[in-house]
Amino acid sequence: MRRRLGPAALALAGALALAGCGGSDSGDSGDSGSAKAELSAGTAYMPQPVSDDMAAGFLTVTNKGGAPDELTSVTSDIAGQVTVHETVDGAMQEVKSLKIPAGGRLELKSGGDHLMFEQLKSKPKEGQTVSVELHFAHSGPMKVEMPVKPATYTPKTGH
């Protein structure tokens, strides 16, 4: 993986150096905002946990910006730790981050990529709300309120 980062970092440094060679208004181009991620979160929920020490969480992070980002970690007061998991061929595994493409979205859903709340300090009940903070590689942290739904809740997706 580091071999890929070296040439990419050199290309970025070269592009930045070339950009610095322009006139004094080179940083004021109208499209400068398109090179940033513009993240928002929605459809967040947590099924009421059936276990006393573990729960799952789901949400969608939408990126309307022109640059990708990554969900790198999640924190919450109700859990000792919150881990990010991806599901590949029906098997879940913890990962360090999940990509959010430019102009795209990251969907955390039942049976797919998701959050795992581990070492629960209290067991959330249906009707309560769990606060989480999402952390990203490039964007600032985002607070999200996650309503606790029935254990068998399935969101209406229109499919």
Side-chain angles (χ1 to χ4, degrees), residues 131-147:
S131 295
V132 299
E133 188 169 87
L134 308 178
H135 302 270
F136 303 97
H138 305 291
S139 301
M142 179 189 312
K143 290 191 184 292
V144 177
E145 297 299 312
M146 200 173 259

Side-chain angles (χ1 to χ4, degrees), residues 117-138:
F117 294 77
E118 301 171 21
Q119 304 154 10
L120 290 177
K121 297 173 183 175
S122 64
K123 188 173 174 180
K125 304 281 186 225
E126 181 182 341
Q128 293 179 329
T129 301
V130 171
S131 295
V132 299
E133 188 169 87
L134 308 178
H135 302 270
F136 303 97
H138 305 291

Side-chain angles (χ1 to χ4, degrees), residues 54-141:
M54 194 174 293
F58 309 102
L59 57 91
T60 299
V61 178
T62 301
N63 182 357
K64 292 184 178 178
D69 209 335
E70 294 179 49
L71 176 65
T72 56
S73 67
V74 180
T75 55
S76 178
D77 291 342
I78 70 149
Q81 71 175 9
V82 183
T83 54
V84 179
H85 287 82
E86 68 177 0
T87 302
V88 178
D89 297 327
M92 78 173 188
Q93 61 188 22
E94 184 176 341
V95 294
K96 293 193 183 300
S97 66
L98 289 172
K99 295 186 183 318
I100 309 162
R105 69 170 92 194
L106 168 63
E107 290 185 70
L108 304 181
K109 59 187 180 180
S110 182
D113 299 343
H114 59 281
L115 305 177
M116 288 300 302
F117 294 77
E118 301 171 21
Q119 304 154 10
L120 290 177
K121 297 173 183 175
S122 64
K123 188 173 174 180
K125 304 281 186 225
E126 181 182 341
Q128 293 179 329
T129 301
V130 171
S131 295
V132 299
E133 188 169 87
L134 308 178
H135 302 270
F136 303 97
H138 305 291
S139 301

Side-chain angles (χ1 to χ4, degrees), residues 18-39:
L18 288 174
C21 293
S24 62
D25 352 284
S26 65
D28 294 333
S29 65
D31 64 345
S32 62
S34 66
K36 287 177 45 178
E38 294 177 32
L39 306 178

